[in-house]
Amino acid sequence: MDGLRIRISLPRQTLELHDRRGRLLHRYLVSTGAKGAGEQSGSFQTPRGRHLIRAKVGAGETANAVLRGRRPTGEIWTPELAVQHPNRDWILTRILWLSGREPGRNRLGEVDTMRRYIYLHGTPDSVELGVPGSHGCVRMRNADIIELFDQVPAYTPVDIVEFGVEEGTWTELGALAGPVRERVFVDEQHVPKEMEWDEYDAVSRHVVAIGSEGKAIGTGRLLPDGHIGRMAVLADWRGQGVGRALLDRLLEAASQAGMDRLVLHAQTHACGFYRSVGFVEEGPEFMEAGIPHRMMVRLS
Ligand code: COA
């Protein structure tokens, strides 16, 4: 399928597969580097940032087939084999080999994901997922890596991010979402306070992106009538996929609520951002809180 995207959240230890319109296709539990996040060769850490699938290895192998140097050894992993080789880092079933897309961050030189042989790969059933435990790779259940492998073509984008997204009510998330909106809309964009805070927060579903140490870095909301709004990412975090992750989660909430028509008032500079998940402009430009906007609509 065209336009698929993978997002791996290090704090959540999850891998999400989304389609071209942002729709969540699968969410899997994974295990990333026990030593945390990092790009340096020899660090045994999981690299961050934009990547893509460089090569797919292991098509047609049975589940638990052992791979070494990206070739099947002919062995099938069993608990008995594991006892015989207690120090082996088992790479099983399939490999999706990653390459960095950000020169200087995760590509070339001493920070090259591809030359570090960072893979998404199958792992023994006895290995715990949902907690970091690998030597830098992304471990997955064998059935999950087979399912993922069969769906994603080479060059599928893979973002490895250091935030997770929470969804909830204003009572649950307001204390986190409020300060982000205050910073972005009131301080930065000079939206009058009395316009920023309205009666719709209490009845909306909210999403908040949470970075390391529990810090809120972005937010958005979905009204009961299918209106998406208040999308805001802290300035230092823009352009790193936070907005997209928030939007994906709002689309998931809308789909769960059975909403088939979503509407938003986009600041004109952000129209491209919403277009990228299937929103289209409708009607003329108008002013709201002193900022030019367009109405945009997305049908499911
Ligand atoms: N115009 C066009 N495309 C944009 C864009 C913009 N203003 N902002 C992001 N994009 C694209 C990115 O290039 C990216 O595409 P890619 O993955 O193909 O490269 C995609 O949209 C997702 O970008 P992402 O990094 O997730 O966006 P972000 O975290 O910077 O969040 C906003 C986007 C608009 C929420 C953020 O810039 C923001 O908070 N701005 C200030 C508040 C604001 O204006 N809110 C919008 C109210 S309508």
Side-chain angles (χ1 to χ4, degrees), residues 197-215:
W197 307 112
D198 62 22
E199 67 277 25
Y200 298 116
D201 279 330
V203 296
S204 295
R205 295 299 292 173
H206 296 266
V207 291
V208 178
I210 300 175
S212 47
E213 288 145 34
K215 185 177 182 290

Side-chain angles (χ1 to χ4, degrees), residues 64 77-79 82 88-93 121-129 139-142:
N64 285 304
W77 183 90
T78 58
R88 261 163 83 171
D89 177 25
W90 297 101
I91 295 179
L92 306 181
T93 313
H121 66 77
T123 198
D125 292 341
S126 53
V127 166
E128 191 183 1
L129 301 184
R139 295 174 171 171
M140 298 180 69
R141 284 279 160 259
N142 294 300

Side-chain angles (χ1 to χ4, degrees), residues 50 184 189 231 233 238-241 243-244 267 269 273-274:
R50 294 182 165 219
V184 172
Q189 297 193 333
M231 288 284 305
V233 174
R238 288 179 200 153
Q240 299 177 53
R244 178 78 72 110
Q267 296 185 15
H269 71 84
F273 168 67
Y274 296 112

Side-chain angles (χ1 to χ4, degrees), residues 47-52 54 97-103 105-108 111-115 158:
R48 294 159 289 196
R50 294 182 165 219
H51 291 83
L52 52 75
R54 173 185 190 263
W97 185 2
L98 298 183
S99 178
R101 286 201 288 159
E102 299 183 61
R105 185 182 188 200
N106 55 29
R107 187 172 160 77
L108 306 176
V111 290
D112 195 279
T113 295
M114 184 187 73
R115 289 203 205 98
V158 178

Side-chain angles (χ1 to χ4, degrees), residues 32-266:
T32 61
K35 294 195 167 170
E39 293 71 33
Q40 206 67 29
S41 290
S43 65
F44 295 102
Q45 295 173 314
T46 302
R48 294 159 289 196
R50 294 182 165 219
H51 291 83
L52 52 75
I53 294 173
R54 173 185 190 263
K56 297 173 64 178
V57 179
E61 294 296 324
T62 69
N64 285 304
V66 177
L67 297 151
R68 273 191 123 174
R70 293 164 304 288
R71 287 205 177 77
T73 62
E75 299 159 299
I76 304 295
W77 183 90
T78 58
E80 294 72 38
L81 189 69
V83 170
Q84 285 169 33
H85 303 281
N87 296 323
R88 261 163 83 171
D89 177 25
W90 297 101
I91 295 179
L92 306 181
T93 313
R94 301 280 187 282
I95 289 172
L96 295 171
W97 185 2
L98 298 183
S99 178
R101 286 201 288 159
E102 299 183 61
R105 185 182 188 200
N106 55 29
R107 187 172 160 77
L108 306 176
E110 283 304 299
V111 290
D112 195 279
T113 295
M114 184 187 73
R115 289 203 205 98
R116 292 180 61 208
Y117 302 111
I118 301 291
Y119 311 141
L120 318 185
H121 66 77
T123 198
D125 292 341
S126 53
V127 166
E128 191 183 1
L129 301 184
V131 287
S134 82
H135 298 167
C137 285
V138 179
R139 295 174 171 171
M140 298 180 69
R141 284 279 160 259
N142 294 300
D144 294 348
I145 189 77
I146 291 174
E147 187 176 76
L148 182 65
F149 187 99
D150 288 345
Q151 289 180 79
V152 294
Y155 302 108
T156 298
V158 178
D159 281 0
I160 305 180
V161 302
E162 268 186 309
F163 60 84
V165 177
E166 289 280 341
E167 184 205 325
T169 61
W170 187 247
T171 310
E172 290 159 346
L173 294 178
L176 287 166
V180 174
R181 278 164 52 179
E182 186 86 26
R183 280 266 289 282
V184 172
F185 294 121
V186 180
D187 298 346
E188 184 185 331
Q189 297 193 333
H190 309 297
V191 171
K193 273 189 192 234
E194 59 279 14
M195 288 189 75
E196 179 52 30
W197 307 112
D198 62 22
E199 67 277 25
Y200 298 116
D201 279 330
V203 296
S204 295
R205 295 299 292 173
H206 296 266
V207 291
V208 178
I210 300 175
S212 47
E213 288 145 34
K215 185 177 182 290
I217 56 176
T219 187
R221 75 179 183 187
L222 172 70
L223 273 62
D225 65 357
H227 207 112
I228 284 178
R230 302 297 197 268
M231 288 284 305
V233 174
L234 294 181
D236 286 350
W237 280 87
R238 288 179 200 153
Q240 299 177 53
V242 179
R244 178 78 72 110
L246 291 165
L247 203 47
D248 285 346
R249 194 56 181 266
L250 288 170
L251 295 175
E252 187 185 342
S255 156
Q256 282 166 354
M259 296 173 181
D260 50 15
R261 185 174 186 271
L262 298 177
V263 182
L264 55 84
H265 291 178

